Amino acid sequence: AFDQTTGAGTLNGMPFLTLDVAAGTLRVSPGIELISVLDTLDSTDVHRQLVLTCSIFAHFDFFIAAANPATSTAMTIYLEDDTCWKTVTADFLKPTARYPAIYVNASSEASCRNQCRADARCSHYAWSPSAAVANDTISTTGTVTECEFLHYR
């Protein structure tokens, strides 16, 4: 949404751009809140991104030869995640006293990814909706129920 009076642009109610409506200066400055939107994208891209296409309209106050002194064009804005979520198959450490297993409740992969992003101990995660094992019996090589943070070897 774009508020023509204030020049504020929002996505799902979260600010991502401002436009000085008098000077025409555009500033793209997505807030940290947009991470939750990026995490919900169903994408296999290493860097998730939102692609927004906006229409820009201009009206000229002075007389020009054209019958309609207005013009418009499209502008594409790319909002990219600053975290790389590359799928890897690797030898992860089995939980130990030094590297304990960390399980969090997550109803979706997006929720698991968002919680991993927010936890400094998490560099990788595994998530599966179909497992039916108790959290204390899961290994990093087996099926993971809900969300498990993994330690890279």
Side-chain angles (χ1 to χ4, degrees):
F2 179 73
D3 186 322
Q4 296 177 15
T5 306
T6 65
T10 59
L11 181 65
N12 290 355
M14 295 170 264
F16 76 94
L17 67 78
T18 54
L19 173 68
D20 181 329
V21 291
T25 306
L26 178 68
R27 179 181 177 145
V28 178
S29 54
I32 193 79
E33 304 88 8
L34 277 179
I35 287 174
S36 62
V37 175
L38 289 168
D39 281 342
T40 60
L41 296 177
D42 186 22
S43 172
T44 57
D45 293 340
V46 173
H47 288 281
R48 285 171 171 71
Q49 70 176 350
L50 294 169
V51 180
L52 307 169
T53 302
C54 305
S55 295
I56 301 171
F57 298 93
H59 182 271
F60 300 98
D61 286 336
F62 54 88
F63 176 76
I64 59 174
N68 183 3
T71 187
S72 67
T73 190
M75 176 177 63
T76 304
I77 300 173
Y78 297 89
L79 300 174
E80 292 188 345
D81 193 344
D82 62 353
T83 303
C84 176
W85 294 108
K86 184 176 180 180
T87 301
V88 296
T89 302
D91 188 15
F92 290 96
L93 294 173
K94 294 194 188 283
T96 64
R98 183 173 180 178
Y99 299 105
I102 302 169
Y103 300 99
V104 295
N105 290 323
S107 59
S108 67
E109 184 176 5
S111 173
C112 182
R113 184 173 39 253
N114 190 263
Q115 291 182 66
C116 179
R117 181 193 305 268
D119 193 314
R121 301 168 296 174
C122 186
S123 64
H124 297 78
Y125 70 89
W127 182 82
S128 173
S130 60
V133 231
N135 282 346
D136 59 354
T137 63
I138 298 170
S139 73
T140 57
T141 56
T143 305
V144 179
T145 185
E146 295 179 358
C147 180
E148 180 181 4
F149 296 170
L150 306 175
H151 301 287
Y152 192 65
R153 187 178 295 258

